[in-house]
Amino acid sequence: DIQMTQSPSLLSASVGDRVTINCKASQNINKYLNWYQQKLGEAPKLLIYNTNNLQTGIPSRFSGSGSGTDYTLTISSLQPEDFGTYFCFQHNSWPGTFGGGTKLELK
Amino acid sequence: QIQLVQSGPELKKPGESVKISCKASGYTFTDYAMHWVKQAPGKGLKWMGWINTYTGKPTYADDFKGRFVFSLEASASTANLQISNLKNEDTATYFCARDYSGDYWGQGVMVTVSS
């Protein structure tokens, strides 16, 4: 199985900050990398699919980049509603695997 | 609009079985596979597998072979997950998600296994 190593696991930031979250795959995943946001007690929400495609309805302050084994989610200017936990997910190979999550909290 | 609505929370004893449903609406059910994801309390997400909603063929991740069964009631646009011989470690929230991209998710079903 492909291992997804996500960092950092905890991120403290303020409204207006630019934040980045990273995911490293144990092998090339050919840009088949999605990013999700999850708030407590809710289902994950798809933000970015296939590395850099913004899901419909997601604000443009979210962006994704990367290739090969290294991928990044960037939030350009953090808003109060952005706090929660973020997961990456690779769907290049079966079985799909998630990163361990990044909890984004208010500093 | 597209929705996946799952059944309600379950409290079961070890050894019992549980069946969770996921009813889709707002799109053609058989056009997209349905995937299942497990989230243990306070933990991350684990992809369990998927079912081809056109053929009914299920595919299971290795950790979910044996006691886990994906099925369909296609006429009702519903996918089901059945877990038999429940163990304490099955305590988790189970999500259905449309397609491998996971563009839409159900709200999740909390299954608690406790004696």
Side-chain angles (χ1 to χ4, degrees), chain A residues 54-93:
Chain A
L54 197 64
Q55 175 68 349
T56 303
I58 300 302
S60 59
R61 62 180 180 273
F62 291 92
S63 64
S65 63
S67 63
T69 61
D70 295 290
Y71 298 84
T72 299
L73 173 70
T74 300
I75 309 172
S76 59
S77 178
L78 207 56
Q79 298 302 300
E81 61 268 28
D82 298 339
F83 294 95
T85 301
Y86 291 80
F87 294 95
C88 61
F89 174 68
Q90 72 79 21
H91 56 109
N92 177 67
S93 301

Side-chain angles (χ1 to χ4, degrees), chain A residues 6-27:
Chain A
Q6 192 171 336
S7 62
S9 55
L10 178 63
L11 183 55
S12 297
S14 301
V15 173
D17 283 354
R18 179 183 179 90
V19 301
T20 60
I21 298 169
N22 301 294
C23 242
K24 187 174 183 67
S26 58
Q27 62 192 72

Side-chain angles (χ1 to χ4, degrees), chain B residues 73-96:
Chain B
E73 297 168 50
S75 60
S77 298
T78 298
N80 300 307
L81 164 63
Q82 183 161 353
I83 310 171
S84 59
N85 189 21
L86 282 161
K87 304 178 186 305
N88 291 333
E89 54 264 37
D90 295 325
T91 294
T93 297
Y94 294 87
F95 295 98
C96 58

Side-chain angles (χ1 to χ4, degrees), chain B residues 53-74:
Chain B
T53 53
Y54 186 75
T55 65
K57 179 175 186 273
T59 301
Y60 303 96
D62 285 347
D63 287 350
F64 299 98
K65 290 179 179 175
R67 299 187 296 114
F68 299 82
V69 176
F70 307 146
S71 63
L72 300 175
E73 297 168 50

Side-chain angles (χ1 to χ4, degrees), chain A residues 16 19 29 35 39 45 52 63-64:
Chain A
V19 301
I29 56 171
W35 291 98
K39 298 190 177 180
K45 179 198 295 184
N52 56 10
S63 64

